Amino acid sequence: MALSNLGTIGTTPVVRNNLTLTTSDPTDVFQFQIGSTKNINLTVTDIIGGDPELLLFRDNGNGIFDANDQSVDLSARSSNRDESINNRENAGTYFAQVIRGAASSGTISYDFAVSATTPNSSDLSNLLPKEVELGNLSADVNQFGSVGDFDTADVYQFSLGSFEGVNITLSGLTSDADIRLIQDVNNNRIVDANEVVASSTRGGTTSDVISNITSAGNYFLQVNQFSGNTSFNLAFDHFTTTFA
């Protein structure tokens, strides 16, 4: 088992690329600390060769990753789909564990990232896992989900072709959530400066709307908790344009 101590984590993502899991070394562990209540954001992306799982544990106080640590959350999507965890947690020491899934054979390669952002603020998750892949939008699409303290952000990946556009509406809220649209220009799966195309941050349970997106390209739509726990409806209303 390989263990990396990443120190105290803040808003700036800590990234480790081109990591591997093998039959003889099937587990990587990343130790980190947060100094106050934060939204912990974890991703495993760009997976090749198998099906890893992502787990989060809270240290029991001895500073050692062992069986007495508290299990916090698990991401175990099928095949080589991105894994992600977004949880609000109190100050302390945590361990993120990446393990080879039981169905994996051979060597798995992957990228790992972690950040810690401030709850109830504009300091949003800056990691971009492909949690829901919608592909090219050629018709209206409706999605249903939820965000809260144990899932503070959901990410939807889609693309638009020439002569296509979309309006996006987040509705059905019982607590405050917001949306923002991102183009990951450098494809590093992080929200960098100038990559947010549009956002809607209306207060309370008012529906959020992003309108008239008509540029062809690849996009990430991020739904973020602002306060409380809420389910939501997310509508992608597709339309055609007369210009490319």
Side-chain angles (χ1 to χ4, degrees), residues 86-244:
N86 301 93
N87 282 7
R88 181 179 300 192
E89 300 295 338
N90 295 326
T93 296
Y94 292 83
F95 299 97
Q97 182 185 35
V98 184
I99 62 174
R100 294 175 81 254
S104 299
S105 60
T107 298
I108 298 173
S109 65
Y110 70 95
D111 296 341
F112 171 84
V114 57
S115 68
T117 49
T118 304
N120 308 119
S121 75
S122 59
D123 185 18
L124 305 176
S125 172
N126 44 20
L127 306 184
L128 293 173
K130 296 178 181 178
E131 294 181 320
V132 181
E133 298 183 65
L134 301 177
N136 178 256
L137 292 185
S138 57
D140 294 349
V141 174
N142 290 289
Q143 295 286 307
F144 303 92
S146 62
V147 288
D149 290 351
F150 294 99
D151 183 15
T152 59
D154 284 349
V155 181
Y156 299 78
Q157 189 271 335
F158 69 93
S159 62
L160 291 174
S162 299
F163 306 103
E164 291 184 311
V166 67
N167 299 314
I168 303 169
T169 302
L170 179 75
S171 63
L173 301 174
T174 56
S175 292
D176 194 356
D178 301 311
I179 53 175
R180 63 177 181 171
L181 188 65
I182 299 148
Q183 280 195 299
D184 185 21
V185 176
N186 58 6
N187 200 35
N188 68 351
R189 311 300 288 279
I190 292 170
V191 184
D192 293 310
N194 303 317
E195 290 187 338
V196 177
V197 175
S199 62
S200 178
T201 58
R202 295 172 178 171
T205 59
T206 303
S207 297
D208 284 289
V209 179
I210 293 175
S211 299
N212 203 35
I213 302 301
T214 56
S215 296
N218 297 314
Y219 294 90
F220 292 88
L221 190 283
Q222 191 180 60
V223 182
N224 292 286
Q225 177 207 37
F226 185 81
S227 63
N229 303 312
T230 182
S231 57
F232 61 79
N233 306 324
L234 185 63
F236 297 82
D237 297 321
H238 176 270
F239 59 89
T240 57
T241 70
T242 57
F243 53 89

Side-chain angles (χ1 to χ4, degrees), residues 52-93:
E53 298 177 359
L54 174 64
L55 302 91
L56 178 63
F57 297 88
R58 182 181 174 90
D59 181 38
N60 63 6
N62 65 2
I64 300 171
F65 183 55
D66 57 32
N68 294 318
D69 293 325
Q70 177 190 353
S71 176
V72 175
D73 207 347
L74 162 70
S75 177
R77 295 185 173 94
S78 60
S79 188
N80 63 342
R81 295 172 60 202
D82 291 351
E83 305 291 355
S84 63
I85 292 174
N86 301 93
N87 282 7
R88 181 179 300 192
E89 300 295 338
N90 295 326
T93 296

